[in-house]
């Protein structure tokens, strides 16, 4: 069990670093809002996080 938790933690940190490298600080904020919203079952946080990530994915002028 501790090995599985360690692997999941490493994966989560790696994914967070990938998002930050690709989309900057706003990507991390959007991912955090999305995660918090899903865990807390808060539709507002989930929607705001999703909107931020979608806006970052579409990029300017596309």
């Amino acid at each position: 069990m501790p090995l599985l938790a360690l692997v999941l933690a490493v994966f989560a940190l790696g994914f967070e670093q990938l998002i930050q490298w690709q989309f900057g600080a706003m990507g991390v904020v959007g991912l955090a809002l999305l995660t918090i919203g899903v865990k807390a079952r808060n539709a507002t946080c989930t929607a705001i996080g999703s909107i931020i990530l979608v806006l970052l994915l579409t990029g300017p002028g596309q």
Side-chain angles (χ1 to χ4, degrees):
M1 186 68 178
L3 181 61
L4 180 62
L6 180 64
V7 169
L8 288 175
V10 168
F11 178 74
L13 288 174
F15 186 70
E16 181 181 342
Q17 289 297 317
L18 177 69
I19 293 293
Q20 185 170 2
W21 171 71
Q22 186 75 23
F23 301 113
M26 282 307 293
V28 174
V29 169
L31 184 64
L33 282 171
L34 182 65
T35 304
I36 290 169
V38 168
K39 286 185 179 182
R41 296 184 183 186
N42 186 336
T44 304
C45 279
T46 304
I48 291 172
S50 298
I51 290 169
I52 290 172
L53 290 176
V54 166
L55 288 174
L56 288 172
L57 285 171
T58 58
Q62 292 184 1

